[in-house]
Amino acid sequence: MREPATVKATVKKLGINGEGIAYLDKKITFIQGALPGEEVAIEITRNETKYKIGSLKKVIVPSSHRIKAKCRYQKDCLGCPLMILDYPSQLESKYQLVKDTFAKYVGKAFEHTEFEPVVPAGQQLGIRNVVRLPVVNFNDRLTFGIYQRESKFLTLMSDCPMQSKRINGCLVKLEQVLNEMHLHAYDDLKKKGVRFLTVREFDAGLQLIFVTGLDRLPDRAIEVISKFEEVQSIIVTINTTKKQDFDASRYEYRYGSHKGVMEQIFMQKKFSISSKSDFPVYRLHALRIAKTLASLIPEDVAKIIELGCGIGLYSLGLDEKYEIRGIDISKINVLDANNNARLQNRENAVYEDGRIENLFTVLSKRNHYDLAMIHLDRFKMNEALVDSINASKTKYLLIESDHVSMLAKNISQLTNFYQLNKIIALDANPNGSGVSVVAMMTRKK
C-alpha cells in the first residue's frame, strides 16, 4: 500500500487545546505536538470544509523553546500538550490566548482594560488533587488507565507526574492489592467487576470512591486498603448503567469518616466537605483564585451575592464583615455551604439552591447587593440572567472562569451597563492549556 503523502507546514500559534496551528490552502490546520515557529512535516488526517487536522510526522525546524517532556506518555496522552514547551513560553502563549479572545469578543471595551501577564503557578508538577480513573485490563493485569480519544492508546495513570505523589503512591498499592485478589475490570455483559475509581486528596489523606458492578468490592479488599496510612475514607457505589453519572447512585460508606465527610483547611478556615459535593481538582490553584477574588473587592462593598457558590469555599473564605447570599443549582453543594457557614459561626452567610437566573432576579429585586461574585464554570449565563444583572444595578461584578471564550462572550453582553476595569489571568494547568481568568467590572454611571 502506498504511504500517505506528507506536506510541510509552518506553525503560527497555539490553539485553545494546546495544539499547533498552521494555515494550508487558506484553512486553519490543527497539529497536535507542534509548537509556534516550527517547520513540520505532517500527514492530513481530516480535511473538512473549514479546517484540517494534521498528524505530526517530523519536526524539520524545532522551536528554541521546545524541551524534553517529563512524562514518557506525553506524546500520545492528550492531558499535557504543553509539556514540550518551556514554562515562560507556556505563560506567554496563555497570555496571548486571553488577549486575542477578549479582543475578538469584547472589542473596544477591552482596549483600556488593565491586563497583566499570566500569574504563574506555584509548582508545575504534582498539582492534581482529584482523579477519576477507569479500571481496565492491560497485559493480563488490572490497572488504572485512560484511552485517549480518537485513538486506542492507553495512558497508564499510576505514575502521572501531574498527580500528587500521595495519589500516585496509593494507586500503585491499590493495583497490587486488586491483582493479588484476582479482581477483574468491569464486564458490561456480566455487569460485574471494578469499573471506576475516584481519589480525592484532603489535608488528612485520601478518600477513595469505587464504582463497581453488582458484585461490589470484596470485604477483604476493603480491609486491606483501609490499612493504607494515607487512606482516610472508602466508599463503594454500584452502577451498571451506560451513563457515567456515578454520583446519582447510592453511596455505601465502608470505612473512615462519617458518611464520607472530610475536613479541609482553606483560606485559613475549616470546611466540612461531603462525598458528593464539589471539590477543587487543583487545591493550590483554587486558593490562588480565592486570594485574587478577595484582593479585588472594593472597600465600599458590604453585601455580596454569589452565583454558582458551590460549597462556599470562595465566599466563606472572605472577611467575616461581608454579608453573603449564595445561590447554586446543586442541593448537595448548598447543603455543604450552609453547614460550613454554621461551622464557622457565620450568621451573615446564607445559601440557597435553585435555578440561578430565577433566584438572582427575585433576590436582586428584594435586596440591593454591592457586588455579584460569579463563578461561570458552575452554570450557564443565559440571556435571562444577563438581563437581570443589567437591570439589578449591582455596583460591581467579579466574574471568574476557566473557559476564556465563554467568559469573554458573557462579558460582551454586559458592557452596555458595566465597564470592564481589570482582568487577571492565572495559570490553571501547567503543561496543559488551562488558564483561569478573573474579571472586575463596575456599573457605568
Side-chain angles (χ1 to χ4, degrees):
M1 182 181 291
R2 193 166 131 188
E3 290 293 324
T6 60
V7 296
K8 290 183 180 179
T10 300
V11 183
K12 299 298 184 181
K13 60 182 181 179
L14 291 177
I16 59 174
N17 297 313
E19 69 278 77
I21 289 180
Y23 295 89
L24 296 175
D25 303 323
K26 297 183 180 181
K27 286 185 183 180
I28 188 170
T29 303
F30 301 100
I31 311 164
Q32 191 71 36
L35 299 177
E38 292 187 333
E39 184 178 346
V40 296
I42 64 173
E43 174 193 331
I44 301 300
T45 57
R46 289 181 64 181
N47 190 353
E48 304 293 338
T49 304
K50 295 184 178 180
Y51 69 91
K52 296 182 180 184
I53 295 179
S55 174
L56 180 64
K57 296 302 178 183
K58 182 180 179 180
V59 178
I60 301 170
V61 180
S63 166
S64 61
H65 300 288
R66 179 178 281 272
I67 60 174
K68 184 178 180 180
K70 294 180 174 64
C71 176
R72 56 180 171 165
Y73 299 123
Q74 190 277 335
K75 182 180 178 181
D76 297 294
C77 176
L78 301 178
C80 298
L82 301 187
M83 194 177 275
I84 55 175
L85 184 64
D86 65 52
Y87 193 58
S89 298
Q90 290 186 35
L91 296 178
E92 176 58 32
S93 172
K94 294 177 182 184
Y95 172 83
Q96 195 62 46
L97 172 66
V98 175
K99 184 178 179 180
D100 291 347
T101 303
F102 271 78
K104 176 181 178 180
Y105 291 109
V106 182
K108 291 184 179 180
F110 177 62
E111 292 178 359
H112 303 291
T113 301
E114 183 181 347
F115 178 39
E116 298 178 353
V118 176
V119 180
Q123 61 190 67
Q124 290 140 44
L125 297 173
I127 61 173
R128 182 179 285 269
N129 304 110
V130 177
V131 298
R132 172 170 281 186
L133 302 173
V135 180
V136 298
N137 288 318
F138 179 70
N139 288 344
D140 297 323
R141 284 181 60 82
L142 186 149
T143 187
F144 308 100
I146 298 175
Y147 283 100
Q148 301 301 317
R149 61 183 182 273
E150 299 183 2
S151 79
K152 294 182 179 180
F153 183 82
L154 176 67
T155 302
L156 302 180
M157 297 299 295
S158 58
D159 61 348
C160 174
M162 298 308 295
Q163 294 166 179
S164 74
K165 291 182 178 179
R166 188 156 54 171
I167 288 179
N168 281 341
C170 185
L171 291 176
V172 171
K173 292 194 291 185
L174 285 172
E175 182 179 325
Q176 180 179 351
V177 168
L178 298 181
N179 281 287
E180 287 177 350
M181 295 187 177
H182 305 291
L183 301 185
H184 301 282
Y186 182 72
D187 186 314
D188 281 321
L189 295 177
K190 297 179 180 178
K191 298 189 181 301
K192 292 183 178 181
V194 189
R195 191 173 183 183
F196 270 80
L197 169 68
T198 296
V199 184
R200 306 203 301 175
E201 183 177 25
F202 298 84
D203 287 336
L206 305 180
Q207 180 176 73
L208 309 181
I209 304 172
F210 290 93
V211 180
T212 75
L214 298 173
D215 50 346
R216 292 181 169 83
L217 197 66
D219 290 343
R220 68 185 192 280
I222 299 289
E223 182 179 356
V224 173
I225 296 169
S226 66
K227 294 178 181 177
F228 293 178
E229 182 180 359
E230 67 272 28
V231 173
Q232 300 296 312
S233 174
I234 301 175
I235 296 167
V236 178
T237 181
I238 297 172
N239 190 299
T240 60
T241 66
K242 291 184 178 180
K243 295 181 179 180
Q244 295 186 2
D245 184 12
F246 301 134
D247 289 342
S249 305
R250 187 175 68 87
Y251 277 12
E252 300 176 9
Y253 303 100
R254 301 297 303 276
Y255 169 77
S257 56
H258 178 63
K259 292 188 177 181
V261 174
M262 300 288 290
E263 290 186 348
Q264 178 65 40
I265 299 298
F266 190 85
M267 292 288 280
Q268 299 181 329
K269 296 176 181 178
K270 183 184 291 186
F271 287 82
S272 178
I273 302 170
S274 60
S275 53
K276 289 189 177 183
S277 62
D278 289 343
F279 183 69
V281 173
Y282 304 105
R283 283 200 336 240
L284 288 179
H285 178 64
L287 183 61
R288 292 160 66 235
I289 292 291
K291 290 180 178 179
T292 300
L293 292 170
S295 71
L296 291 174
I297 298 177
E299 292 184 359
D300 58 339
V301 169
K303 297 179 66 175
I304 296 174
I305 185 167
E306 185 180 28
L307 284 62
C309 63
I311 62 174
L313 278 179
Y314 295 120
S315 52
L316 291 174
L318 297 174
D319 193 294
E320 296 180 5
K321 67 181 181 181
Y322 299 117
E323 181 180 331
I324 305 293
R325 188 63 181 258
I327 53 181
D328 197 276
I329 58 175
S330 168
K331 291 183 178 181
I332 295 172
N333 284 340
V334 166
L335 181 61
D336 268 15
N338 282 317
N339 286 339
N340 286 319
R342 287 189 290 270
L343 181 66
Q344 297 176 18
N345 295 316
R346 291 287 297 272
E347 295 182 358
N348 61 349
V350 178
Y351 299 87
E352 184 176 352
D353 67 88
R355 292 179 62 87
I356 289 179
E357 63 270 26
N358 294 344
L359 287 173
F360 179 81
T361 300
V362 172
L363 291 171
S364 61
K365 286 180 179 179
R366 292 176 181 172
N367 306 278
H368 171 73
Y369 296 98
D370 304 307
L371 181 144
M373 183 183 295
I374 305 171
H375 308 287
L376 281 183
D377 296 343
R378 298 185 183 278
F379 67 97
K380 182 178 180 180
M381 184 184 286
N382 56 25
E383 187 176 347
L385 180 57
V386 170
D387 290 342
S388 291
I389 292 173
N390 285 332
S392 71
K393 297 184 180 180
T394 303
K395 188 174 182 181
Y396 304 106
L397 304 179
L398 195 50
I399 315 173
E400 65 93 8
S401 177
D402 293 344
H403 300 283
V404 182
S405 295
M406 179 180 67
L407 174 63
K409 289 176 183 178
N410 286 151
I411 285 177
S412 70
Q413 297 173 296
L414 298 165
T415 52
N416 286 336
F417 294 88
Y418 288 89
Q419 173 69 40
L420 180 59
N421 304 111
K422 188 172 186 176
I423 289 176
I424 297 179
L426 303 96
D427 188 11
N429 183 11
N431 303 311
S433 56
V435 57
S436 297
V437 178
V438 179
M440 182 67 190
M441 304 186 77
T442 304
R443 185 86 180 180
K444 293 180 180 179
K445 296 181 180 179

